[in-house]
């Protein structure tokens, strides 16, 4: 929302002086940790962890303990797919080559998660996983306009009814996805659902302001 301000912010990091704002370089540094751990078939690991609490006095770059990576998971893959798709969209007009890297990685993560869900058809996922799936579909549709992701978003959104609510305890929390779909302009999108998203986001913002 404030590109000129952030473009001039110097955080004195190794990437300072490149073609991207430092604040974006910082975000990509974290995101790229997960991209580099992506499995060959697309799965995203949930993170890394030392074998025990860090040894006294050791900084992160002095780690002497065994460090292990989590197995790839559906939830982490959905989260990553959405964030990587958003990064690719932002990078398209600024660093097309890097945008392609994240676009391809996001698609592989999403497809891996969808395939794993099919393999675990009898498993009931918690609402947080379903929300991450919904958000990833919204981000991928906004990125490329692929009707497959629009269809998945519409299939999994909770905002199709006449009185859309962004958050219902233990059922769904789709405020981020609603915001993305409300700001998307792609052929084939459901205009009524888009209006629902705008309405739900606006109402929530108004209630928060009143509170």
């Amino acid at each position: 929302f404030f590109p000129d301000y952030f473009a001039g912010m110097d955080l004195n990091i190794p990437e300072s002086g490149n073609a991207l704002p430092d604040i974006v370089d910082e975000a990509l540094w974290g995101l790229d940790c997960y991209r580099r751990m992506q499995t060959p078939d697309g799965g995203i690991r949930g993170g890394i962890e030392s074998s025990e609490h860090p040894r006294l006095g050791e900084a992160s770059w002095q780690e002497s303990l065994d460090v292990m990576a989590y197995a790839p998971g559906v939830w982490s893959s959905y989260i990553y797919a959405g964030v990587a798709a958003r990064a690719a969209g932002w990078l398209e007009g600024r660093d097309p080559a890097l945008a392609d890297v994240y676009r391809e990685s996001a698609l592989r993560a999403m497809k891996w998660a969808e395939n794993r869900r099919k393999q675990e058809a009898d498993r009931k996922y918690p609402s947080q996983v379903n929300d991450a799936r919904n958000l990833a579909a919204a981000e991928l549709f906004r990125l490329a306009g692929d009707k497959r992701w629009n269809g998945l978003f519409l299939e999994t959104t909770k905002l199709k009814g006449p009185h859309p609510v962004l958050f219902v305890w233990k059922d769904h929390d789709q405020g981020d996805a609603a915001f993305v779909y409300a700001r998307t302009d792609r052929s084939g999108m459901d205009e009524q659902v888009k209006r629902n998203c705008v309405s739900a986001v606006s109402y929530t913002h108004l209630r928060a302001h009143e509170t």
Side-chain angles (χ1 to χ4, degrees), residues 22 26 36 40 57 59 63 65 70 75 87 89 91 102 112 123 131 140 158 173 202:
D22 283 3
E26 286 288 81
R36 288 183 285 114
E63 181 71 79
L65 295 168
Y70 296 129
W75 190 11
L91 288 163
Y102 282 108
W112 183 92
R123 180 174 178 181
D131 290 337
L140 285 166
K158 299 290 187 174
D173 183 358
S202 300

Side-chain angles (χ1 to χ4, degrees), residues 75-193:
W75 190 11
S76 54
S77 296
Y78 282 139
I79 293 173
Y80 173 86
V83 179
R86 178 177 296 189
W90 190 91
L91 288 163
E92 274 187 331
R94 300 167 175 89
D95 190 333
L98 189 55
D100 287 342
V101 169
Y102 282 108
R103 180 186 296 104
E104 186 272 341
S105 181
L107 286 169
R108 287 200 297 123
M110 189 68 173
K111 291 174 181 176
W112 183 92
E114 288 293 277
N115 287 335
R116 178 58 63 91
R117 280 185 75 102
K118 291 178 182 177
Q119 296 168 11
E120 302 174 341
D122 295 333
R123 180 174 178 181
K124 182 175 176 57
Y125 288 97
S127 61
Q128 293 90 338
V129 178
N130 299 324
D131 290 337
R133 185 187 188 204
N134 178 254
L135 176 57
E139 291 282 13
L140 285 166
F141 176 59
R142 179 168 65 165
L143 174 65
D146 190 326
K147 64 180 182 181
R148 149 183 48 173
W149 306 125
N150 184 40
L152 180 58
F153 170 81
L154 294 174
E155 175 189 331
T156 56
T157 185
K158 299 290 187 174
L159 304 175
K160 287 183 283 193
H163 303 291
V165 179
L166 298 182
F167 171 79
V168 174
W169 176 246
K170 291 189 177 180
D171 184 72
H172 70 272
D173 183 358
Q174 297 190 347
D176 290 340
F179 185 78
V180 170
Y181 203 74
R183 291 173 52 82
T184 296
D185 185 16
R186 289 286 189 181
S187 174
M189 65 188 309
D190 189 312
E191 293 298 332
Q192 181 58 58
V193 171

